């Protein structure tokens, strides 16, 4: 999200949308693997699911703490992101080492209190539903980051926006821990 804000506010809507489209391929692959892993854990080792939930929550807290450092690293490589955002998004989505653990942690947080809803029949439903939600959110964000007011706001308030993203990670972590029991 921070990369898209950086690309969109610097180069406009089209490069941000291209980054999203490229990134979607990687995200869908990681989402499918995360859903399969969660279903496998649920079937074979149901007692492990609470530990996985706690590990995912701790990882989200770690990412929230690291978000400001990641945002400042964007400034040094902004031209790389903007040259070919579609290819950059695809490569980033496929090889980003955080994609699988983040996706796993988010899905774990979402279903933490309702592990019974993760069945062989519902796993295939989660992927298209997640993809549709992601495409909708990406299109909206690509449009929003192209607005002049957002560009101006981001140039002035980037550190505060980054902190807001960090709090989103903290919120997902808290939600997963609250629904653990």
């Amino acid at each position: 999200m921070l990369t898209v804000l950086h690309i969109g506010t610097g180069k406009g809507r089209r490069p941000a949308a291209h980054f999203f489209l490229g990134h979607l391929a990687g995200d869908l692959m990681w989402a499918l693997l995360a859903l399969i892993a969660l279903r496998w854990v649920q079937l074979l080792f149901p007692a492990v699911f609470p530990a996985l939930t706690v590990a995912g929550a701790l990882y989200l807290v770690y990412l929230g703490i690291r978000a400001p450092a990641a945002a400042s690293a964007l400034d040094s490589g902004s031209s790389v992101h903007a040259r070919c955002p579609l290819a950059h998004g695809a490569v980033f989505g496929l090889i980003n080492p955080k994609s699988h653990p983040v996706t796993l942690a988010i899905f774990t947080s979402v279903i933490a209190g309702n592990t019974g809803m993760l069945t062989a029949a519902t796993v295939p439903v989660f992927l298209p539903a997640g993809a549709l939600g992601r495409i909708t959110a990406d299109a909206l964000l690509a449009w929003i980051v192209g607005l002049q007011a957002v560009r101006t706001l981001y140039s002035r308030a980037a550190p505060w926006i980054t902190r807001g993203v960090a709090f989103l990670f903290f919120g997902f972590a808290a939600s997963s821990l609250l629904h653990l029991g």
Side-chain angles (χ1 to χ4, degrees):
M1 189 171 98
L2 292 173
T3 302
V4 171
L5 274 168
H6 196 73
I7 291 171
T9 57
K11 299 293 180 183
R13 290 183 179 117
R14 186 170 299 220
H18 286 172
F19 179 85
F20 274 138
L21 286 174
H23 198 272
L24 183 63
D27 275 356
L28 289 177
M29 180 193 71
W30 291 119
L32 178 62
L33 291 174
L35 287 168
I36 290 169
L38 287 173
R39 178 67 178 150
W40 180 76
V41 165
Q42 180 194 32
L43 287 174
L44 300 178
F45 307 103
V48 174
F49 198 85
L52 186 60
T53 301
V54 171
L58 292 174
Y59 186 66
L60 290 171
V61 168
Y62 168 77
L63 290 176
I65 292 168
R66 297 273 308 140
S72 65
L74 287 174
D75 293 334
S76 61
S78 61
S79 63
V80 173
H81 300 306
R83 269 188 251 149
C84 189
L86 181 65
H88 178 74
V91 169
F92 184 78
L94 290 169
I95 66 169
N96 182 358
K98 292 184 291 190
S99 291
H100 184 65
V102 168
T103 304
L104 194 61
I106 296 292
F107 278 142
T108 304
S109 135
V110 169
I111 63 170
N114 303 304
T115 57
M117 68 188 248
L118 188 63
T119 66
T122 60
V123 166
V125 175
F126 277 108
L127 194 60
L132 181 61
R134 173 68 191 265
I135 290 167
T136 303
D138 289 352
L140 181 62
L141 188 56
W143 179 77
I144 288 171
V145 298
L147 297 172
Q148 185 59 44
V150 173
R151 290 176 174 201
T152 303
L153 176 67
Y154 184 73
S155 68
R156 293 181 184 157
W160 290 102
I161 292 169
T162 302
R163 289 179 188 110
V165 169
F167 280 106
L168 286 174
F169 284 117
F170 298 149
F172 272 114
S175 173
S176 61
L177 293 174
L178 287 172
H179 292 100
L180 186 60

